[in-house]
Amino acid sequence: MSLQNTFVQRTKLFVINVIKLYKELPNTTEAQIIGRQWVRCSSSVGANYRAACRARSQKEFSAKLSIVAEEADESIFWMEILIGVEIMSMEKLNYVFKEARKF
């Protein structure tokens, strides 16, 4: 499997794992608001990486990859908030937290 295909699979798995964790959030207003933001930016990681793979130029590829990094960082932010307000534990988020840092 090529490096590009490996990243396509990893970013897709990242989104799937975030969605599974989102489903475990309590049904409180704050948890759902934070969770929706988290799912949006996390899913953008995968979608923008796929778009980068279809870039027509190196400049376009670099621009799309910078969006991937930005969305991964935002995903980390929302996980930090979930941990900070004690909605989810670091142990629960550990895998996706580490994965987001790699993008």
Side-chain angles (χ1 to χ4, degrees), residues 1 10 12 14 22 24 34-35 45 60 66 69 72-73 76 81 85 87 92 96:
M1 183 179 289
R10 281 179 58 192
K12 183 167 61 173
F14 173 70
Y22 170 79
E24 295 182 27
I34 295 165
V45 170
E60 184 179 356
S66 69
D73 187 58
I76 291 168
I81 298 301
V85 296
I87 293 174
K92 189 88 151 161
V96 289

Side-chain angles (χ1 to χ4, degrees), residues 64-95:
K64 292 290 185 187
L65 278 188
S66 69
I67 295 169
V68 170
E70 183 179 321
E71 296 294 342
D73 187 58
E74 185 179 342
S75 180
I76 291 168
F77 170 79
W78 291 115
M79 286 186 274
E80 289 171 346
I81 298 301
L82 288 169
I83 293 163
V85 296
E86 299 176 348
I87 293 174
M88 273 197 164
S89 69
M90 181 59 177
E91 292 75 29
K92 189 88 151 161
L93 297 172
N94 195 38
Y95 173 76

Side-chain angles (χ1 to χ4, degrees), residues 6-21 24 38 42 72 75-76 79 83 88-103:
T6 299
F7 267 80
V8 166
Q9 292 304 315
R10 281 179 58 192
T11 56
K12 183 167 61 173
L13 184 59
F14 173 70
V15 176
I16 289 168
N17 286 321
V18 167
I19 292 169
K20 287 178 181 179
L21 288 166
E24 295 182 27
W38 181 36
S42 298
S75 180
I76 291 168
M79 286 186 274
I83 293 163
M88 273 197 164
S89 69
M90 181 59 177
E91 292 75 29
K92 189 88 151 161
L93 297 172
N94 195 38
Y95 173 76
V96 289
F97 195 89
K98 285 182 179 179
E99 191 66 10
R101 287 186 167 284
K102 294 176 185 175
F103 301 128

Side-chain angles (χ1 to χ4, degrees), residues 35-74:
R36 280 192 296 276
Q37 290 294 116
W38 181 36
V39 169
R40 280 189 194 106
C41 59
S42 298
S43 59
S44 184
V45 170
N48 279 294
Y49 184 76
R50 288 177 77 122
C53 293
R54 304 233 183 287
R56 295 169 297 228
S57 68
Q58 185 61 42
K59 188 175 180 180
E60 184 179 356
F61 179 77
S62 296
K64 292 290 185 187
L65 278 188
S66 69
I67 295 169
V68 170
E70 183 179 321
E71 296 294 342
D73 187 58
E74 185 179 342

